[in-house]
Amino acid sequence: MRARNRSGPISGTGLIVAGLTATLFALIFPIWSYADRSGTGVSTLNASTVSTRYGPLSGLDREFITKVRLAGLWELPAGQQAQQKGTAKAVHTAGEHLIEGHTFLDTRVRNVAARLGLQLPNQPTEEQKAWLSALTAAQGEEYDREFANILRKAHGKVFSVVAQVRANTRNSLVRDLADDANTTVLDHIKVLEATGLVDFDALAQDAASASTPPMTSSPA
C-alpha cells in the first residue's frame, strides 16, 4: 500500500510535467517555425514599423500611401485624355469618374502624408508611363478598348491590395484613406466595366498566370 501511495503522486507529477512541456513546445514551435522563414519573421514584419500619434505606421502602410499618390499621377491624366480621345460616351463617363476620384484621393493622400511626415513621389513609375504612352498612341475604337482594359486590369490588381491594408493597418489615418481608396477603386471598376469593352477572359488568364503579390515593395 505504501509503495502504491508513493508511486501514485510521482506518476501524476510526471504526467503534469510532460503535459506542460508538450504544451509549451506546441506554443513555441509555431512561432519559431514562422520566424525561421526568410523575410516573414515577426522581427522582419515589425522592423520598419514606427510609432505615430495615429497609431503604428508599418512599411506596408507607407507603401500604400505612396501607391495611392502614384495612382493619381497616371490615372488622372488618363481620365483627362479619355474625355478628349474617347469615341464612346461610356468612355467619356469613365474618364470623368477617374478625374473626380483621383482629384479627391490625391488631396486626401497628400494631407495624410503631411500629417505623418512622409514624402510622396511626383512622377508615375516607368510602367505607368508606358501605359500612358500606349493610350496616347491608340486612336478611335482601339483607344476605347485599350483605355477600358488597361485601366480595368490595373484597378483589379490594386483592389485586393487596398483590402489587405484595410484589414491589417493599425493606423487610423491609413485606415480612413483605405476606406476612401476602396470606394474610389470600386467605382472606377464599375464604370470601366460599363463601357462593355473589358475583356474578362484576358483578365482571368492574367490572374491565373500570375497571382497578385503581397504589398511589400506595387497599384494602379
Side-chain angles (χ1 to χ4, degrees):
M1 291 295 293
R2 291 179 181 176
R4 284 196 296 271
N5 288 339
R6 285 196 300 270
S7 63
I10 293 174
S11 298
T13 301
L15 289 174
I16 292 173
V17 171
L20 290 174
T21 301
T23 301
L24 182 61
F25 179 79
L27 290 173
I28 293 175
F29 180 76
I31 298 176
W32 170 83
S33 61
Y34 177 77
D36 189 57
R37 298 172 189 169
S38 177
T40 60
V42 175
S43 61
T44 300
L45 294 175
N46 292 332
S48 59
T49 298
V50 297
S51 297
T52 77
R53 60 182 296 189
Y54 308 101
L57 184 71
S58 69
L60 181 67
D61 294 335
R62 293 195 295 276
E63 185 179 355
F64 168 69
I65 292 169
T66 297
K67 290 182 183 301
V68 172
R69 170 64 172 172
L70 286 170
L73 290 175
W74 86 275
E75 290 185 30
L76 186 56
Q80 294 168 338
Q81 188 185 68
Q83 291 194 308
Q84 298 171 358
K85 296 184 62 175
T87 66
K89 182 178 180 180
V91 171
H92 291 171
T93 299
E96 181 181 353
H97 279 243
L98 288 177
I99 293 171
E100 292 178 352
H102 284 290
T103 297
F104 167 71
L105 274 186
D106 196 61
T107 299
R108 288 280 290 110
V109 74
R110 285 188 285 110
N111 177 268
V112 168
R115 294 167 74 178
L116 293 172
L118 302 177
Q119 291 186 335
L120 294 174
N122 291 314
Q123 293 290 329
T125 67
E126 292 303 314
E127 182 179 39
Q128 292 166 343
K129 289 178 181 178
W131 291 337
L132 286 172
S133 295
L135 292 176
T136 299
Q139 301 294 330
E141 293 182 358
E142 178 192 4
Y143 174 83
D144 291 348
R145 288 192 299 272
E146 287 288 285
F147 171 81
N149 284 283
I150 289 175
L151 271 298
R152 173 57 179 82
K153 181 178 178 180
H155 280 80
K157 289 183 177 180
V158 73
F159 196 51
S160 60
V161 169
V162 175
Q164 179 188 0
V165 172
R166 180 60 179 83
N168 293 289
T169 186
R170 293 175 289 165
N171 187 281
S172 61
L173 291 182
V174 175
R175 190 177 301 117
D176 290 343
L177 180 62
D179 283 340
D180 291 334
N182 182 74
T183 300
T184 301
V185 172
L186 182 58
D187 172 69
H188 292 175
I189 286 176
K190 288 181 177 180
V191 293
L192 289 165
E193 292 176 350
T195 64
L197 300 171
V198 174
D199 187 342
F200 289 98
D201 290 337
L203 289 176
Q205 291 174 3
D206 180 71
S209 62
S211 60
T212 303
M215 265 186 70
T216 50
S217 273
S218 191

